[in-house]
Amino acid sequence: KQWYQRRVREELKKQLKDAFSLLAYRDPRQSQMGYLMEPGQREQLCADLNSAMLESHGLPRQPPLELAISQTKNCVVKMLESGMGSGAYTGLEKQVKCSLKPQQ
């Protein structure tokens, strides 16, 4: 477990170093780390940074609300896959503006 935590911490430090290096460029998109400016990369970096900040304050890496929404989405998907039509009436997608597609 310690090895895994150390590895995750090292990977996060590298991501943060790469992200902060963008500040040195007039046009960060043209730098070696320009790929970090892509939407998917920004979202992942923000999620990793948020998790690290929560963990540094002794809190769970995944915010409780995010965890509850994820579990609810998975339950609704399983209900629909099992033929439980009542899952279609949950309105979760409208309430939290999320997709009900199963996460890969």
Side-chain angles (χ1 to χ4, degrees):
K1 183 178 179 181
Q2 290 177 347
W3 174 84
Y4 175 76
Q5 289 175 336
R6 186 172 44 246
R7 182 173 170 213
V8 168
R9 206 173 302 122
E10 289 170 6
E11 288 176 16
L12 182 60
K13 282 182 184 178
K14 182 187 179 324
Q15 284 180 322
L16 291 174
K17 182 180 176 186
D18 291 349
F20 281 113
S21 73
L22 293 171
L23 298 174
Y25 296 93
R26 184 176 301 263
D27 185 2
R29 291 180 193 280
Q30 301 302 318
S31 73
Q32 274 187 314
M33 299 300 155
Y35 71 94
L36 291 173
M37 300 296 291
E38 298 297 320
Q41 293 293 325
R42 287 193 315 246
E43 290 171 17
Q44 184 61 50
L45 182 63
C46 289
D48 291 344
L49 181 57
N50 186 47
S51 293
M53 289 189 306
L54 288 169
E55 188 176 47
S56 73
H57 290 286
L59 298 168
R61 288 183 61 80
Q62 188 174 21
L65 180 59
E66 183 181 321
L67 182 60
I69 290 171
S70 178
Q71 289 175 338
T72 304
K73 284 171 48 178
N74 289 333
C75 286
V76 170
V77 168
K78 291 296 181 195
M79 288 172 68
L80 294 172
E81 288 175 351
S82 299
M84 297 176 71
S86 59
Y89 298 106
T90 59
L92 176 67
E93 186 173 43
K94 183 178 178 183
Q95 294 299 319
V96 294
K97 296 181 175 72
C98 63
S99 171
L100 290 177
K101 295 178 185 172
Q103 295 182 355
Q104 303 296 326

